[in-house]
Amino acid sequence: MSAAVTCRNLEKQYTKGKEVVPVLTGINLEIEEGDFVALMGPSGSGKTTLLNLIGGLDHPTGGEIEVGGVDLNDMNGRELAKWRSEHVGFIFQFYNLLPVLNAQRNVELPLLLTKLSRKQRAKNAGTALEIVGLADRAKHKPSELSGGQQQRVAIARALVADPSLLVCDEPTGDLDRETADEILGLLQTLNQEYGKTIIMVTHDPLAAERARHVLHMDKGKLVTDAGVEV
Amino acid sequence: MFAQIREITLMNLQNLSSRLGSSSVIVVGIGGVVAVLVGLLSMATGFSAALNSTGKADRALIMREGSTSEMNGAMSAGQRATIRAMEEVATASGETYVVAAIEKIGTDVPANVVVRGVEPPSFDIRPEVKIIEGRRFEPGRAEIIVGVKAASQFKGLGVGETLKVRDQSWQVVGHFVAGGSVTESEIWADLANVQSAFRRGGTSNTMRVQLVSPEAALKLNKRLREDPRFDLMVRTEREHYAEQSRDRATLINDFGVAVGIIMAIGAVFAALNTMYSAVSSRTVEIATLRALGFSSLPVVVSVMIEAMALALLGGLLGGGLVWLAFDGYTASTLNNASFSQVAFDFAVTGDLLQMGLTWALALGLIGGLFPALRAARLPITTALRGE
Ligand SMILES: Nc1ncnc2c1ncn2[C@@H]1O[C@H](COP(=O)(O)OP(=O)(O)OP(=O)(O)O)[C@@H](O)[C@H]1O
Ligand SMILES: [Mg+2]
């Protein structure tokens, strides 16, 4: 198996005015294709920042990052946007569905960036909704769906363009235990049966248990379970 | 790319109804600008239109070449006789236009009154001039008749009273109306008497003529200008009124534009504000779209289309309101050159409405541009945090 994600000495700092805030201070990381990795750590440790770099939403300020065999360092914003639309599915804590669109149309959104016909888009969106078990809610607006259902729609949206990598930032952070377990089960299915590589940020140890591997972060670095820098 | 723009724009427009409350600031603000602008300009347009129809096309003034005032010009009796005989002329009358200072009623301050020396045919050329009290003056006698507006504004102009002007006493023998026109603010007297009292010799300033037809105006003008004995031109009454009142129409027009601009600045800020909050309430939505791979352009375009749609709605409302309220509404104004009280209709023309909508769209464009650019420039990661 080849590496889905490789980070070498990855750094990210933000500049607020004159002040430089180091957020990631040298991340070395390798995630295999088909892995399901949970990323844990205290608030502010840089989990989201790392996830955003892996998802190609932002540029690192140092080090190297390679995702799916592609070097993200050299890509400009436009290239990154195209790359994301083809290779990464995003799942957010608050689902980030568009409130005016029904489930079907929300799921179809990423396909607008493809050359698929309208009919084919609708068909693929329907399939994605079936995978997440919401085929019967296709015409519902997000406001007419429960939190768990909304997250399922969001997962369908992340799936629909068939990316190899799913990045999830606290996907169960806003859900009750039972619903969270369902969503985690769904992610496991996507990992095991559909071969998606999944990186999931979570604060929930029970959620992390569902992953194949767990990584811990602290103060911008990856650490072992015991808190030792790796 | 086009599909992206279309989808996002459609989405935003669907969103619009849920934000109609806050968006109404744009609609109302821009509607107000368009209403005021179109309203004022329709006044100017109506005013010009009224002037163009004031006065008759087959009645003309013969004036000194290049002059715009009846006060200029010196036509001898011989010249007048020659003109009177020309085939384009049905009736003609020499007129002299002078001013006299008379105290106004209610003040001790003298103000200028027009004294018009006329020949008997002047009454035939202007049938709207009718005596309502007393009688006409007798040629050769120091008698005057006074327009009803002048009589009501100045002292000592009652029938039977005597007016002293330039060391001469004039007997007021009648009052006249003239169809509500500014002629009612004049004093009329026999041309020969006015010439001697104001030391004009035998010359008159102008001639007022009844032409045989409206087309005769051009012919007569050509004839006079080609004739080396004359330094004269022909102006129909209609042309003359329009010329006299053009300044006022321009003034109203300029005023309309100025007020429109001031209001437009306010409306732009209202639109900017509304669009900023409309955009910022959707920061996360927009960031999500961009995370999914949508580029900034559709986001910018869709925000601008949204602002322009709201602005257009405002423009339609404002323009439509003015049209319903004012089109054909009659108003009046006193002309600058104290030439005439001109009654006119507001004219809300298609051109004006189109211009109003153009303004609305331009305001919407400006109001949408900056918020759209900001939304597009915000880093996705920052925007996703929803701060
Ligand atoms: N755009 C930014 N500008 C400046 N500082 C930022 C920015 N984004 C993140 N940070 C800072 O970087 C640090 C790490 O943020 P990050 O969101 O990665 O943490 P996190 O581990 O995801 O925390 P949480 O568990 O609360 O989500 C924080 O101190 C945060 O304030
Ligand atoms: Mg986070």
Side-chain angles (χ1 to χ4, degrees):
Chain A
M1 277 219 181
S2 58
V5 178
T6 310
C7 302
R8 263 188 276 283
N9 225 356
L10 192 68
E11 288 178 13
K12 177 71 186 178
Q13 56 196 32
Y14 292 104
T15 27
K16 279 183 185 162
K18 280 189 182 134
E19 197 187 346
V20 177
V21 187
V23 177
L24 301 181
T25 53
I27 302 274
N28 287 293
L29 172 68
E30 194 142 310
I31 296 173
E32 295 292 306
E33 248 175 41
D35 204 349
F36 183 171
V37 174
L39 191 56
M40 300 191 73
S43 189
S45 55
K47 304 182 296 293
T48 298
T49 304
L50 178 58
L51 203 64
N52 287 344
L53 289 179
I54 293 172
L57 291 174
D58 208 352
H59 284 101
T61 45
E64 280 160 47
I65 180 163
E66 214 174 90
V67 181
V70 178
D71 188 347
L72 300 190
N73 289 64
D74 301 337
M75 289 174 141
N76 64 28
R78 184 184 291 264
E79 290 163 342
L80 275 179
K82 185 167 191 304
W83 175 81
R84 285 196 303 272
S85 70
E86 290 165 355
H87 299 285
V88 190
F90 290 92
I91 298 163
F92 306 95
Q93 179 176 0
F94 299 107
Y95 332 126
N96 291 19
L97 298 175
L98 301 191
V100 286
L101 302 183
N102 64 28
Q104 167 87 19
R105 307 259 286 127
N106 262 293
V107 174
E108 261 185 66
L109 269 177
L111 298 182
L112 294 175
L113 299 168
T114 66
K115 290 197 167 67
L116 293 182
S117 70
R118 177 181 290 263
K119 218 170 135 195
Q120 192 63 46
R121 292 202 304 258
K123 186 159 170 271
N124 292 6
T127 308
L129 279 172
E130 255 167 52
I131 292 173
V132 301
L134 274 184
D136 56 334
R137 294 286 196 275
K139 296 282 174 263
H140 287 60
K141 293 256 176 85
S143 57
E144 299 157 359
L145 298 170
S146 72
Q149 287 171 329
Q150 289 187 55
Q151 193 61 297
R152 282 168 187 272
V153 174
I155 292 171
R157 179 179 69 187
L159 282 180
V160 75
D162 198 25
S164 50
L165 176 67
L166 297 182
V167 297
C168 321
D169 198 348
E170 305 186 39
T172 58
D174 201 44
L175 301 173
D176 60 48
R177 183 76 261 153
E178 200 178 327
T179 317
D181 283 340
E182 285 169 24
I183 294 296
L184 290 163
L186 178 57
L187 289 177
Q188 275 184 310
T189 308
L190 294 176
N191 174 244
Q192 286 160 11
E193 288 176 26
Y194 295 83
K196 305 292 178 198
T197 307
I198 301 179
I199 306 171
M200 171 179 78
V201 169
T202 183
H203 285 286
D204 176 10
L206 289 176
E209 273 176 20
R210 302 289 200 103
R212 294 174 193 256
H213 296 102
V214 183
L215 296 174
H216 293 271
M217 282 191 78
D218 194 19
K219 298 189 184 107
K221 284 195 158 52
L222 285 173
V223 294
T224 64
D225 285 5
V228 182
E229 194 177 319
V230 286
Chain B
M1 183 60 75
F2 178 73
Q4 285 188 45
I5 294 177
R6 192 189 55 204
E7 294 295 325
I8 298 181
T9 303
L10 279 178
M11 208 165 66
N12 281 352
L13 293 181
Q14 285 173 25
N15 232 340
L16 216 53
S17 56
S18 67
R19 288 196 314 274
L20 217 55
S22 58
S23 305
S24 63
V25 178
I26 297 188
V27 177
V28 172
I30 291 180
V33 174
V34 171
V36 168
L37 189 75
V38 172
L40 284 169
L41 296 194
S42 75
M43 213 162 122
T45 308
F47 187 66
S48 306
L51 290 171
N52 290 335
S53 58
T54 300
K56 297 231 159 93
D58 64 350
R59 272 164 38 177
L61 279 111
I62 298 177
M63 310 168 75
R64 165 159 347 136
E65 168 110 60
S67 171
T68 55
S69 165
E70 290 187 72
M71 294 223 204
N72 302 322
M75 301 170 65
S76 70
Q79 285 178 322
R80 293 205 297 274
T82 310
I83 289 171
R84 207 170 264 130
M86 287 176 175
E87 63 184 68
E88 293 86 0
V89 177
T91 317
S93 169
E95 295 190 356
T96 281
Y97 186 100
V98 293
V99 292
I102 306 178
E103 278 180 17
K104 284 191 107 168
I105 291 172
T107 69
D108 293 333
V109 188
N112 281 340
V113 186
V114 172
V115 177
R116 188 184 290 276
V118 298
E119 293 180 304
S122 284
F123 290 98
D124 303 328
I125 296 169
R126 278 182 279 217
E128 68 271 18
V129 172
K130 292 193 184 83
I131 298 292
I132 53 158
E133 194 187 340
R135 57 170 174 83
R136 287 186 189 173
F137 55 81
E138 301 253 325
R141 287 170 60 171
E143 293 177 348
I144 55 175
I145 57 174
V146 178
V148 289
K149 283 188 193 122
S152 67
Q153 283 179 356
F154 292 91
K155 290 181 183 168
L157 296 181
V159 175
E161 293 193 79
T162 303
L163 177 70
K164 264 188 100 90
V165 177
R166 296 264 182 143
D167 303 330
Q168 181 163 350
S169 295
W170 304 77
Q171 179 91 29
V172 180
V173 296
H175 283 173
F176 65 89
V177 292
S181 76
V182 76
T183 308
E184 292 181 356
S185 301
E186 295 178 355
I187 295 173
W188 279 22
D190 181 42
L191 176 66
N193 275 344
V194 173
Q195 282 168 341
S196 65
F198 289 82
R199 299 186 175 73
R200 297 297 175 94
T203 66
S204 72
N205 289 141
T206 63
M207 277 188 102
R208 181 78 57 152
V209 298
Q210 172 68 55
L211 299 162
V212 293
S213 70
E215 295 75 46
L218 274 179
K219 282 191 227 157
L220 183 60
N221 191 43
K222 187 162 181 285
R223 184 196 295 279
L224 287 177
R225 294 181 76 151
E226 283 171 359
D227 192 326
R229 288 172 296 171
F230 299 111
D231 180 23
L232 296 171
M233 65 175 182
V234 177
R235 262 216 171 136
T236 63
E237 282 188 352
R238 187 170 292 179
E239 289 165 348
H240 186 65
Y241 285 113
E243 170 76 27
Q244 290 294 308
S245 305
R246 206 174 47 201
D247 289 351
R248 174 62 57 94
T250 312
L251 187 76
I252 298 175
N253 207 67
D254 292 351
F255 180 68
V257 171
V259 171
I261 287 173
I262 291 167
M263 288 190 64
I265 292 170
V268 161
F269 278 107
L272 275 173
N273 200 30
T274 308
M275 288 316 291
Y276 268 125
S277 57
V279 169
S280 76
S281 72
R282 279 175 296 157
T283 304
V284 175
E285 266 178 56
I286 291 171
T288 304
L289 284 171
R290 291 172 62 203
L292 296 181
F294 285 84
S295 56
S296 302
L297 186 69
V299 173
V300 172
V301 171
S302 67
V303 169
M304 295 195 30
I305 290 180
E306 177 179 336
M308 287 170 72
L310 289 169
L312 191 66
L313 185 64
L316 285 171
L317 281 178
L321 221 61
V322 167
W323 183 68
L324 285 178
F326 282 144
D327 194 36
Y329 173 82
T330 302
S332 68
T333 180
L334 199 67
N335 173 280
N336 256 353
S338 79
F339 198 79
S340 61
Q341 173 100 41
V342 186
F344 64 95
D345 294 343
F346 281 58
V348 184
T349 61
D351 279 358
L352 277 183
L353 288 176
Q354 202 181 328
M355 190 211 56
L357 292 184
T358 309
W359 272 56
L361 285 176
L363 295 181
L365 190 85
I366 300 169
L369 182 64
F370 296 99
L373 286 180
R374 191 175 78 160
R377 286 218 186 105
L378 202 60
I380 303 177
T381 51
T382 312
L384 278 175
R385 303 172 90 89
E387 283 158 8

